[in-house]
PDB file of all heavy atoms in Angstrom:
ATOM      1  N   HIS A 223     194.230 150.099  47.555  1.00  0.00           N
ATOM      2  CA  HIS A 223     194.619 148.780  47.049  1.00  0.00           C
ATOM      3  C   HIS A 223     193.792 148.352  45.830  1.00  0.00           C
ATOM      4  O   HIS A 223     194.308 147.738  44.909  1.00  0.00           O
ATOM      5  CB  HIS A 223     194.484 147.735  48.157  1.00  0.00           C
ATOM      6  CG  HIS A 223     195.529 147.863  49.212  1.00  0.00           C
ATOM      7  ND1 HIS A 223     195.513 148.871  50.154  1.00  0.00           N
ATOM      8  CD2 HIS A 223     196.634 147.119  49.482  1.00  0.00           C
ATOM      9  CE1 HIS A 223     196.551 148.734  50.959  1.00  0.00           C
ATOM     10  NE2 HIS A 223     197.243 147.690  50.592  1.00  0.00           N
ATOM     11  N   LYS A 224     192.510 148.656  45.819  1.00  0.00           N
ATOM     12  CA  LYS A 224     191.661 148.197  44.726  1.00  0.00           C
ATOM     13  C   LYS A 224     192.101 148.789  43.395  1.00  0.00           C
ATOM     14  O   LYS A 224     192.311 148.066  42.409  1.00  0.00           O
ATOM     15  CB  LYS A 224     190.195 148.577  45.000  1.00  0.00           C
ATOM     16  CG  LYS A 224     189.228 148.122  43.895  1.00  0.00           C
ATOM     17  CD  LYS A 224     187.819 148.590  44.170  1.00  0.00           C
ATOM     18  CE  LYS A 224     187.252 147.906  45.405  1.00  0.00           C
ATOM     19  NZ  LYS A 224     185.860 148.288  45.673  1.00  0.00           N
ATOM     20  N   ALA A 225     192.264 150.118  43.348  1.00  0.00           N
ATOM     21  CA  ALA A 225     192.677 150.773  42.107  1.00  0.00           C
ATOM     22  C   ALA A 225     194.083 150.347  41.715  1.00  0.00           C
ATOM     23  O   ALA A 225     194.352 150.099  40.529  1.00  0.00           O
ATOM     24  CB  ALA A 225     192.611 152.292  42.271  1.00  0.00           C
ATOM     25  N   ALA A 226     194.989 150.231  42.687  1.00  0.00           N
ATOM     26  CA  ALA A 226     196.362 149.843  42.366  1.00  0.00           C
ATOM     27  C   ALA A 226     196.401 148.421  41.794  1.00  0.00           C
ATOM     28  O   ALA A 226     197.143 148.135  40.856  1.00  0.00           O
ATOM     29  CB  ALA A 226     197.235 149.923  43.614  1.00  0.00           C
ATOM     30  N   ALA A 227     195.570 147.518  42.365  1.00  0.00           N
ATOM     31  CA  ALA A 227     195.534 146.141  41.862  1.00  0.00           C
ATOM     32  C   ALA A 227     195.002 146.102  40.434  1.00  0.00           C
ATOM     33  O   ALA A 227     195.541 145.388  39.567  1.00  0.00           O
ATOM     34  CB  ALA A 227     194.665 145.272  42.778  1.00  0.00           C
ATOM     35  N   LEU A 228     193.929 146.854  40.159  1.00  0.00           N
ATOM     36  CA  LEU A 228     193.363 146.860  38.808  1.00  0.00           C
ATOM     37  C   LEU A 228     194.342 147.447  37.803  1.00  0.00           C
ATOM     38  O   LEU A 228     194.427 146.991  36.659  1.00  0.00           O
ATOM     39  CB  LEU A 228     192.046 147.634  38.794  1.00  0.00           C
ATOM     40  CG  LEU A 228     190.860 146.912  39.441  1.00  0.00           C
ATOM     41  CD1 LEU A 228     189.630 147.820  39.482  1.00  0.00           C
ATOM     42  CD2 LEU A 228     190.525 145.639  38.681  1.00  0.00           C
ATOM     43  N   SER A 229     195.104 148.485  38.216  1.00  0.00           N
ATOM     44  CA  SER A 229     196.092 149.059  37.283  1.00  0.00           C
ATOM     45  C   SER A 229     197.166 148.036  36.982  1.00  0.00           C
ATOM     46  O   SER A 229     197.643 147.935  35.843  1.00  0.00           O
ATOM     47  CB  SER A 229     196.699 150.324  37.883  1.00  0.00           C
ATOM     48  OG  SER A 229     197.603 150.034  38.935  1.00  0.00           O
ATOM     49  N   GLN A 230     197.572 147.246  37.990  1.00  0.00           N
ATOM     50  CA  GLN A 230     198.583 146.217  37.776  1.00  0.00           C
ATOM     51  C   GLN A 230     198.069 145.138  36.823  1.00  0.00           C
ATOM     52  O   GLN A 230     198.753 144.723  35.893  1.00  0.00           O
ATOM     53  CB  GLN A 230     198.977 145.591  39.109  1.00  0.00           C
ATOM     54  CG  GLN A 230     199.980 144.448  39.008  1.00  0.00           C
ATOM     55  CD  GLN A 230     201.340 144.926  38.560  1.00  0.00           C
ATOM     56  OE1 GLN A 230     202.110 145.452  39.344  1.00  0.00           O
ATOM     57  NE2 GLN A 230     201.643 144.771  37.290  1.00  0.00           N
ATOM     58  N   ILE A 231     196.848 144.684  37.061  1.00  0.00           N
ATOM     59  CA  ILE A 231     196.244 143.655  36.209  1.00  0.00           C
ATOM     60  C   ILE A 231     196.106 144.151  34.782  1.00  0.00           C
ATOM     61  O   ILE A 231     196.368 143.409  33.812  1.00  0.00           O
ATOM     62  CB  ILE A 231     194.870 143.235  36.788  1.00  0.00           C
ATOM     63  CG1 ILE A 231     195.061 142.507  38.125  1.00  0.00           C
ATOM     64  CG2 ILE A 231     194.114 142.351  35.814  1.00  0.00           C
ATOM     65  CD1 ILE A 231     193.790 142.319  38.907  1.00  0.00           C
ATOM     66  N   LYS A 232     195.724 145.394  34.629  1.00  0.00           N
ATOM     67  CA  LYS A 232     195.589 145.982  33.285  1.00  0.00           C
ATOM     68  C   LYS A 232     196.934 146.040  32.576  1.00  0.00           C
ATOM     69  O   LYS A 232     197.042 145.729  31.373  1.00  0.00           O
ATOM     70  CB  LYS A 232     194.972 147.378  33.403  1.00  0.00           C
ATOM     71  CG  LYS A 232     194.562 148.012  32.073  1.00  0.00           C
ATOM     72  CD  LYS A 232     193.856 149.335  32.317  1.00  0.00           C
ATOM     73  CE  LYS A 232     193.397 149.973  31.023  1.00  0.00           C
ATOM     74  NZ  LYS A 232     192.292 149.214  30.403  1.00  0.00           N
ATOM     75  N   ARG A 233     197.985 146.420  33.308  1.00  0.00           N
ATOM     76  CA  ARG A 233     199.315 146.466  32.701  1.00  0.00           C
ATOM     77  C   ARG A 233     199.866 145.086  32.417  1.00  0.00           C
ATOM     78  O   ARG A 233     200.788 144.936  31.598  1.00  0.00           O
ATOM     79  CB  ARG A 233     200.260 147.278  33.593  1.00  0.00           C
ATOM     80  CG  ARG A 233     200.007 148.775  33.511  1.00  0.00           C
ATOM     81  CD  ARG A 233     200.929 149.623  34.370  1.00  0.00           C
ATOM     82  NE  ARG A 233     200.684 149.438  35.796  1.00  0.00           N
ATOM     83  CZ  ARG A 233     201.497 148.806  36.626  1.00  0.00           C
ATOM     84  NH1 ARG A 233     202.616 148.300  36.179  1.00  0.00           N
ATOM     85  NH2 ARG A 233     201.197 148.680  37.909  1.00  0.00           N
ATOM     86  N   TRP A 234     199.381 144.056  33.096  1.00  0.00           N
ATOM     87  CA  TRP A 234     199.758 142.668  32.757  1.00  0.00           C
ATOM     88  C   TRP A 234     199.113 142.225  31.451  1.00  0.00           C
ATOM     89  O   TRP A 234     199.486 141.180  30.908  1.00  0.00           O
ATOM     90  CB  TRP A 234     199.334 141.722  33.878  1.00  0.00           C
ATOM     91  CG  TRP A 234     200.252 141.754  35.060  1.00  0.00           C
ATOM     92  CD1 TRP A 234     201.565 142.113  35.089  1.00  0.00           C
ATOM     93  CD2 TRP A 234     199.905 141.377  36.404  1.00  0.00           C
ATOM     94  NE1 TRP A 234     202.063 141.990  36.359  1.00  0.00           N
ATOM     95  CE2 TRP A 234     201.080 141.544  37.186  1.00  0.00           C
ATOM     96  CE3 TRP A 234     198.743 140.909  37.006  1.00  0.00           C
ATOM     97  CZ2 TRP A 234     201.113 141.259  38.544  1.00  0.00           C
ATOM     98  CZ3 TRP A 234     198.778 140.637  38.372  1.00  0.00           C
ATOM     99  CH2 TRP A 234     199.949 140.813  39.129  1.00  0.00           C
ATOM    100  N   GLY A 235     198.138 142.959  30.971  1.00  0.00           N
ATOM    101  CA  GLY A 235     197.514 142.629  29.694  1.00  0.00           C
ATOM    102  C   GLY A 235     196.120 142.053  29.788  1.00  0.00           C
ATOM    103  O   GLY A 235     195.542 141.666  28.772  1.00  0.00           O
ATOM    104  N   TYR A 236     195.529 142.029  30.976  1.00  0.00           N
ATOM    105  CA  TYR A 236     194.174 141.502  31.129  1.00  0.00           C
ATOM    106  C   TYR A 236     193.155 142.633  30.914  1.00  0.00           C
ATOM    107  O   TYR A 236     193.424 143.795  31.270  1.00  0.00           O
ATOM    108  CB  TYR A 236     193.982 140.899  32.529  1.00  0.00           C
ATOM    109  CG  TYR A 236     194.833 139.678  32.777  1.00  0.00           C
ATOM    110  CD1 TYR A 236     196.074 139.789  33.400  1.00  0.00           C
ATOM    111  CD2 TYR A 236     194.414 138.415  32.369  1.00  0.00           C
ATOM    112  CE1 TYR A 236     196.865 138.677  33.615  1.00  0.00           C
ATOM    113  CE2 TYR A 236     195.193 137.309  32.592  1.00  0.00           C
ATOM    114  CZ  TYR A 236     196.430 137.440  33.198  1.00  0.00           C
ATOM    115  OH  TYR A 236     197.207 136.333  33.400  1.00  0.00           O
TER     116      TYR A 236
END
Side-chain angles (χ1 to χ4, degrees):
H223 288 74
K224 180 184 293 182
L228 286 175
S229 73
Q230 178 68 79
I231 292 168
K232 190 175 182 69
R233 285 181 291 109
W234 282 336
Y236 295 94

